[in-house]
């Protein structure tokens, strides 16, 4: 199974740059502050709340990400891990308010990440923002995103229990008109109604997580009917207690109901996970077959922003591998 997972040409479509900072960079930088094996990397560790998770994530990421050069260094290490796992395509986001925190233009951060992309890996870069970020100086920054070359799209994330503010729908519509992909975190720390909101009000066809849609059959049917993709992060869901265990994860049920789902890692900095590890956990702890894992890999290529010839080549390679393993 390990060899099969490694051989699959994979995609990662839900990854936060700041949350993917390789912990070993922190440890090498300041070992006295960042011990080799932090307590939150333990297999049995669970985050008691989103607030605690955010505290640990930001407490480790923000000291590092203070310049475009630091984004470049982190991205170079992140993408090397992808290449080692036979990941061929990545969609990753950076937290847009950082441009104000470190007084660095967003275009410079994008260029720094882009310059770290190795040969053989396709990367699309998104700007992520919280539901409350359309205020002050950030308003002008967000309004200008449609003009940013090299920006694939946007994502709204953060504390999901906060209401979706009225600005989001109009901004998302304007950015789609400018050719940007619009994503939304929903159905993680709040219920299925937030998934419906993201689909119907924001017009999102890419939902980050989405797993709690399973609580409402009508929302699952809506997602399937609209061709919405859920970019799911199973180990993140377990670590954050969104689901009780991998065995009880609704991923299979969502797929059987016709919802396209992909697999990603979310925030490896604080979950100590890898993409191959996500696939392996689904196989070992949720009984996913090689055919099911191959379908997850196919789903990633179905939504990847790549030429048709590339997509067809990757799907053919997956079909060949799945056929050999049958």
């Amino acid at each position: 199974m390990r060899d099969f997972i490694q051989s699959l040409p994979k995609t990662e479509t839900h990854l936060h740059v700041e949350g993917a900072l390789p912990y070993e960079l922190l440890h090498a930088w300041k070992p006295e502050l960042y011990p080799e094996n932090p307590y939150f990397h333990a297999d049995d560790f669970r985050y008691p709340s989103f607030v605690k998770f955010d505290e640990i994530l930001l407490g480790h990421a923000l000291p590092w990400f203070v310049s475009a050069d630091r984004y470049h260094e982190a991205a170079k290490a992140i993408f090397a891990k992808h290449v080692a796992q036979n990941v061929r395509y990545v969609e990753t986001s950076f937290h847009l308010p950082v441009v104000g925190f470190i007084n660095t233009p967003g275009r410079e951060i994008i260029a720094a990440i882009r310059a770290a992309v190795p040969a053989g890996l396709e990367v699309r870069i998104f700007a992520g923002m919280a539901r409350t970020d359309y205020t002050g100086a950030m308003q002008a920054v967000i309004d200008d995103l449609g003009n940013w070359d090299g920006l694939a799209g946007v994502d709204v994330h953060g504390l999901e229990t906060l209401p979706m503010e009225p600005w989001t729908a109009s901004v998302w519509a304007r950015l789609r008109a400018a050719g940007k992909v619009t994503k939304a975190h929903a159905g993680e720390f709040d219920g299925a109604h937030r998934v419906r909101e993201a689909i119907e009000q924001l017009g999102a066809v890419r939902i980050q997580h989405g797993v709690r849609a399973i609580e409402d059959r009508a929302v699952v049917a809506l997602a399937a009917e609209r061709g919405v993709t859920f970019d799911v992060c199973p180990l993140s869901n377990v670590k954050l207690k969104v689901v009780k265990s991998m065995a009880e994860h609704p991923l299979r049920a969502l797929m059987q109901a016709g919802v396209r789902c992909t697999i990603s890692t979310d925030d490896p900095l604080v979950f100590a996970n890898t993409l191959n590890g996500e696939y392996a956990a689904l196989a070992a702890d949720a009984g996913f077959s090689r055919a099911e894992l191959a379908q997850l890999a196919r789903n990633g290529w179905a939504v990847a922003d790549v030429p048709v010839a590339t997509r067809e080549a990757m799907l053919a390679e997956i079909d060949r591998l799945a056929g050999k393993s049958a």
Side-chain angles (χ1 to χ4, degrees), residues 10-17 20 75 78-83 85-93 113-114 117-118 120-126 152 183 206 264-265 275 300-301 304-306:
K10 294 175 290 292
T11 67
E12 170 129 53
T13 51
H14 181 168
L15 182 73
H16 303 273
V17 169
I78 291 166
F79 296 150
K81 290 175 180 287
H82 283 117
V83 171
Q85 296 175 85
N86 200 25
V87 177
R88 314 279 185 88
Y89 175 88
V90 174
E91 292 178 1
T92 188
S93 65
I113 296 171
R114 173 65 54 198
V117 178
L121 184 67
E122 290 288 336
V123 174
R124 305 292 178 263
I125 302 169
F126 287 69
K183 299 183 178 183
R206 297 289 299 282
S264 295
T265 58
L275 193 60
W301 288 107
D305 176 23
V306 294

Side-chain angles (χ1 to χ4, degrees), residues 214 247 249-258 261 282 286-289 292:
I214 201 68
H249 200 286
L251 176 61
R252 178 182 281 118
L254 289 167
M255 294 173 66
Q256 290 174 342
C261 296
L282 287 170
F288 271 57
S289 66
E292 287 175 308

Side-chain angles (χ1 to χ4, degrees), residues 17-27 73-75 77-78 81 269:
V17 169
E18 295 86 0
L21 172 65
Y23 185 83
E24 57 266 28
L25 290 184
L26 286 177
H27 176 64
E73 186 176 352
I78 291 166
K81 290 175 180 287
L269 169 61

Side-chain angles (χ1 to χ4, degrees), residues 174-211:
R174 188 164 67 245
L175 288 170
R176 273 195 301 277
K180 307 301 183 185
V181 177
T182 53
K183 299 183 178 183
H185 277 59
E188 182 190 18
F189 283 97
D190 209 345
H193 66 286
R194 300 309 296 268
V195 178
R196 178 182 291 280
E197 173 188 60
I199 295 171
E200 293 184 338
Q201 296 184 29
L202 296 188
V205 294
R206 297 289 299 282
I207 302 296
Q208 309 293 270
H209 296 297
V211 294

Side-chain angles (χ1 to χ4, degrees), residues 94-325:
F94 70 97
H95 189 49
L96 188 62
V98 167
V99 305
F101 300 161
I102 64 175
N103 195 29
T104 300
R107 288 179 174 87
E108 288 187 19
I109 293 176
I110 291 172
I113 296 171
R114 173 65 54 198
V117 178
L121 184 67
E122 290 288 336
V123 174
R124 305 292 178 263
I125 302 169
F126 287 69
M129 64 201 77
R131 289 161 175 79
T132 55
D133 279 342
Y134 195 67
T135 184
M138 282 303 300
Q139 185 171 337
V141 174
I142 293 171
D143 284 341
D144 190 44
L145 291 176
N147 300 315
W148 288 19
D149 293 334
L151 182 71
V154 293
D155 179 25
V156 60
H157 58 215
L159 186 59
E160 189 184 350
T161 51
L162 291 174
M164 192 70 72
E165 296 182 355
W167 64 268
T168 320
S170 58
V171 169
W172 257 224
R174 188 164 67 245
L175 288 170
R176 273 195 301 277
K180 307 301 183 185
V181 177
T182 53
K183 299 183 178 183
H185 277 59
E188 182 190 18
F189 283 97
D190 209 345
H193 66 286
R194 300 309 296 268
V195 178
R196 178 182 291 280
E197 173 188 60
I199 295 171
E200 293 184 338
Q201 296 184 29
L202 296 188
V205 294
R206 297 289 299 282
I207 302 296
Q208 309 293 270
H209 296 297
V211 294
R212 289 187 59 185
I214 201 68
E215 298 168 4
D216 187 333
R217 292 181 183 179
V219 174
V220 174
L222 173 68
E225 178 186 340
R226 296 280 184 93
V228 174
T229 297
F230 289 179
D231 294 313
V232 181
C233 305
L235 289 174
S236 166
N237 296 154
V238 172
K239 289 281 191 177
L240 289 169
K241 300 194 293 185
V242 174
V243 300
K244 291 182 180 179
S245 67
M246 191 66 74
E248 298 172 78
H249 200 286
L251 176 61
R252 178 182 281 118
L254 289 167
M255 294 173 66
Q256 290 174 342
V259 179
R260 181 192 291 125
C261 296
T262 68
I263 295 300
S264 295
T265 58
D266 201 4
D267 297 292
L269 169 61
V270 288
F271 299 134
N273 54 341
T274 65
L275 193 60
N276 280 0
E278 297 279 348
Y279 278 80
L282 287 170
D285 301 328
F288 271 57
S289 66
R290 295 189 180 199
E292 287 175 308
L293 297 181
Q295 186 58 52
L296 287 166
R298 289 188 192 95
N299 291 347
W301 288 107
V303 297
D305 176 23
V306 294
V308 172
T310 300
R311 178 178 295 106
E312 290 178 347
M314 295 300 100
L315 293 175
E317 187 172 345
I318 293 167
D319 288 344
R320 178 183 63 79
L321 292 165
K324 285 176 60 177
S325 69

